[in-house]
Amino acid sequence: MKYCSLIAIFSLLLASCGGVEPQHTENLPDACGLLTVDQLKDILLEPVERPVPTKANFGEKSACSYSLPGRGSDDILVIYILESKTGKDPDKFDALVAEWQARNMGAKYEEETVSGYPMAFFEGEHHVNPSTFLISFNQVDLAIQGASKENAKSIAFRAMVQYQWK
């Protein structure tokens, strides 16, 4: 019992000195709960249906696929909540972009920063690799596939406001 108390005190001391950074994961929804289907319809200005939790791969906390019936039968919107948590650090974000570039078969991308939020967009090529938008907030990194750059930004910033991410 004495050792448990010592461990608890030591942990509190480390946290108060900045030695342990608290994790703020309680404010993270799963990808299918990020925004409602109606919110996505409002952003994309097209039908959005059937959110399906998708098995997250390496580096993803959760993923969700939505069908887009107004497009081709194989066109989908996929939202990923990533584990990477780059915290808007430029070097970490560059590493995240490089990882997604490899996933997208070396596709070219454009980077930008708006109000301190690093972003990258891969244009995509139909039936080859989907358009992919990456953005970093302090609390979470998002990847959005299957949307235009402007629509993906709208999805990300709507979620940012809704969950009070910085």
Side-chain angles (χ1 to χ4, degrees):
M1 186 68 160
K2 186 188 294 184
Y3 292 111
C4 291
S5 298
L6 285 174
I7 291 171
I9 291 170
F10 183 72
S11 297
L12 287 172
L13 284 172
L14 278 176
S16 67
C17 294
V20 175
E21 188 172 315
Q23 297 296 318
H24 299 286
T25 57
E26 70 278 352
N27 204 19
L28 293 180
D30 68 0
C32 287
L34 187 67
L35 296 176
T36 67
V37 170
D38 286 337
Q39 288 173 312
L40 293 170
K41 285 179 188 177
D42 287 345
I43 292 168
L44 298 175
L45 300 175
E46 66 179 297
V48 177
E49 296 177 350
R50 298 191 309 268
V52 176
T54 304
K55 184 177 179 186
N57 295 316
F58 178 74
E60 299 155 10
K61 181 177 172 18
S62 66
C64 190
S65 299
Y66 298 84
S67 63
L68 303 170
R71 300 185 193 179
S73 61
D74 59 343
D75 287 332
I76 58 173
L77 171 70
V78 185
I79 298 175
Y80 299 92
I81 295 179
L82 306 176
E83 291 280 1
S84 57
K85 296 182 187 169
T86 64
K88 301 193 290 188
D89 178 274
D91 294 330
K92 289 180 181 178
F93 187 73
D94 287 344
L96 177 65
V97 171
E99 176 189 328
W100 281 81
Q101 185 177 33
R103 288 184 189 198
N104 285 329
M105 302 181 321
K108 295 190 184 316
Y109 61 91
E110 56 186 65
E111 279 192 73
E112 66 177 285
T113 300
V114 174
S115 300
Y117 300 101
M119 296 176 253
F121 183 71
F122 298 85
E123 186 68 40
E125 188 176 337
H126 196 63
H127 296 295
V128 177
N129 57 303
S131 63
T132 303
F133 175 77
L134 301 172
I135 187 166
S136 179
F137 298 103
N138 282 334
Q139 296 86 345
V140 67
D141 297 324
L142 298 177
I144 301 167
Q145 291 184 320
S148 70
K149 180 169 71 169
E150 294 309 315
N151 285 343
K153 280 182 184 179
S154 294
I155 291 168
F157 284 111
R158 172 96 48 108
M160 178 197 80
V161 170
Q162 186 167 316
Y163 296 100
Q164 299 177 356
W165 296 332
K166 296 181 180 177

